[in-house]
Amino acid sequence: MIRLPTGVLPRIDRKRARDLARVGLQTGAAVTLVYVVMRWYGIDHLSWAIISALFSIRLASDSTVSVGVYRVTAALIGTALGLATVVLFSDVLPGGWSILASVVVASIVANLMTTLWPNLNYIAVAAAIVALNADADVMTSLERALAIMIGSVGAALASAIVWPESARSRAVRNISYALDDCRRLVDASLRGLAGADAEDTRRIDQDFQRHIGTAREIAGDARFETGLEGGHSLADGLIAIERLWHATIVLDRAAEERRSSLRRDDPGGVHLPIDRINDEVAAYLGDLVAHLQGRAGEPPRAEAVVRRLCDAEDHLRHAPTETALTDDADRERAVSALRFAVDELRKNIVEVADLVAPGREALRRGELDGGRRASPDRAA
């Protein structure tokens, strides 16, 4: 029995199963539509129409529509290019040499064109198909190009009708998944810092890399809507989430390396309200995920979690440390690393909050410090 190494088979969770079901339904609808149209009108070259539909179908409806338009345009240009090379060399070179010359010239010119216009990369395919069939008449070549167009249009229609979803909505959904992975890593880090058994974070990292990679790929396909609700672009959102992830990694490393000297049950350790910090961060990121997924109306307010992180940073900044002994020096380095991690986490949460609701909240450190001075009764 052949055993595949761990990680070769993809893990299919509820999030991935949704996309698999969607692309399966759209592919089935596209192939059925193309088959019925080709048979109904008696058009030849069914195989090319089906292949074209399979190449054009995507998970995002607006990208599929644009792919269909580009595919039809490229098929027309490629067919014209292929026919031109056939006419050019058919009377100049004998036998198979004319076909070879047609294919070589058509392929070179087509690839040069697709280098300049990547969206028209199907030019080379259509040109090569026509050039390789130099013995066919013009009508046969045009029918083949028509089959390619029908396949592309059928895929676009199926994607727009069957379970339609824009590239933007898919990108935002995967951004929300990545944001939830950040919440999971913060929770694992702080629970470990509080004395709980350390959790293996490799699975969380794998999930984040998959979600952020999918979001990045889909964001490039967005055509109709390309921004977040706050007005920033999807690219800005991706950058902010990746920075937040890096901050959570710094927090996890700081907690992992010096966990023993920072636990709250250590008499000489730093007594941070870890549970409260964790609750605030988890609550904010969870509410933000719900907002991005459309399960909540207004975006959550971030003042509470930012103030809590400011308090933690102040506590670590003024924590008594001595460097006379090696143990104290190790603890000082641990406190410094943790303070840096908390500060980075705060800065990146501020950045994410500003992307979702720009200018709505006073989240900068100086503004919050002023607010705290004006509110001496603020809860601990």
Side-chain angles (χ1 to χ4, degrees):
M1 181 177 178
I2 300 176
R3 293 183 179 275
L4 293 175
T6 304
V8 172
L9 292 177
R11 184 170 60 93
I12 300 177
D13 53 13
R14 179 180 58 83
K15 300 168 184 176
R16 179 170 286 185
R18 182 183 188 277
D19 285 338
L20 290 175
R22 183 169 180 268
V23 72
L25 289 174
Q26 289 186 342
T27 301
V31 170
T32 301
L33 177 61
V34 171
Y35 182 89
V36 170
V37 170
M38 294 291 288
R39 288 304 187 198
W40 182 270
Y41 290 100
I43 304 174
D44 293 330
H45 311 293
L46 175 62
S47 58
W48 284 111
I50 298 296
I51 291 172
S52 178
L54 293 177
F55 270 101
S56 298
I57 198 71
R58 296 285 185 88
L59 292 176
S61 59
D62 57 349
S63 67
T64 307
V65 172
S66 63
V67 167
V69 172
Y70 290 131
R71 183 64 50 82
V72 171
T73 304
L76 289 172
I77 298 174
T79 300
L81 176 61
L83 288 174
T85 57
V86 169
V87 172
L88 178 63
F89 293 106
S90 60
D91 297 329
V92 176
L93 298 174
W97 292 107
S98 64
I99 297 178
L100 176 61
S102 298
V103 172
V104 170
V105 173
S107 299
I108 292 175
V109 175
N111 276 333
L112 290 176
M113 296 176 69
T114 56
T115 301
L116 297 174
W117 301 286
N119 289 327
L120 299 178
N121 56 6
Y122 212 68
I123 291 177
V125 177
I129 291 171
V130 174
L132 281 170
N133 293 272
D135 55 342
D137 55 27
V138 175
M139 288 304 301
T140 301
S141 299
L142 292 177
E143 286 179 356
R144 192 177 293 114
L146 176 62
I148 294 172
M149 297 176 201
I150 291 175
S152 300
V153 173
L157 289 175
S159 181
I161 296 172
V162 179
W163 203 338
E165 187 175 34
S166 68
R168 176 193 175 278
S169 62
R170 281 202 69 232
V172 170
R173 189 172 72 249
N174 278 275
I175 286 175
S176 74
Y177 293 160
L179 192 62
D180 190 57
D181 296 330
C182 293
R183 179 197 60 78
R184 291 165 58 200
L185 184 57
V186 170
D187 179 74
S189 303
L190 292 179
R191 288 188 184 279
L193 190 61
D197 293 336
E199 180 182 344
D200 185 1
T201 57
R202 287 176 296 181
R203 176 58 61 80
I204 302 176
D205 179 70
Q206 291 173 359
D207 290 343
F208 176 84
Q209 298 302 332
R210 174 163 56 87
H211 294 145
I212 201 69
T214 302
R216 189 183 300 110
E217 178 182 355
I218 298 169
D221 287 333
R223 296 290 184 271
F224 302 152
E225 296 178 274
T226 60
L228 299 168
E229 290 183 4
H232 293 272
S233 67
L234 290 173
D236 292 335
L238 289 168
I239 292 172
I241 298 300
E242 288 182 292
R243 286 176 178 167
L244 178 61
W245 175 252
H246 295 154
T248 62
I249 290 178
V250 171
L251 177 65
D252 183 60
R253 296 296 181 269
E256 181 181 0
E257 291 177 4
R258 303 299 179 184
R259 192 170 280 126
S260 61
S261 64
L262 293 173
R263 287 178 177 171
R264 58 184 175 184
D265 56 355
D266 180 3
V270 177
H271 300 278
L272 279 176
I274 294 174
D275 290 339
R276 294 183 182 179
I277 296 172
N278 197 10
D279 289 344
E280 292 282 5
V281 174
Y284 175 74
L285 293 181
D287 290 343
L288 190 54
V289 168
H291 168 71
L292 291 175
Q293 294 179 354
R295 295 184 285 110
E298 292 293 323
R301 306 195 70 87
E303 286 99 331
V305 63
V306 173
R307 286 196 181 98
R308 180 65 66 186
L309 292 171
C310 285
D311 289 343
E313 183 188 354
D314 290 340
H315 188 90
L316 291 168
R317 187 186 302 276
H318 299 98
T321 57
E322 299 291 340
T323 59
L325 300 176
T326 302
D327 289 344
D328 289 333
D330 288 343
R331 194 173 74 87
E332 183 179 11
R333 284 193 293 271
V335 171
S336 177
L338 185 60
R339 180 169 61 83
F340 174 78
V342 169
D343 185 44
E344 288 299 302
L345 184 62
R346 175 187 62 81
K347 290 177 181 177
N348 286 280
I349 285 180
V350 168
E351 182 180 10
V352 171
D354 189 60
L355 282 174
V356 178
R360 192 190 68 176
E361 298 166 300
L363 297 177
R364 299 295 180 265
R365 182 64 197 252
E367 296 170 333
L368 285 169
D369 289 342
R372 286 190 291 181
R373 286 193 296 269
S375 304
D377 297 331
R378 180 179 48 84

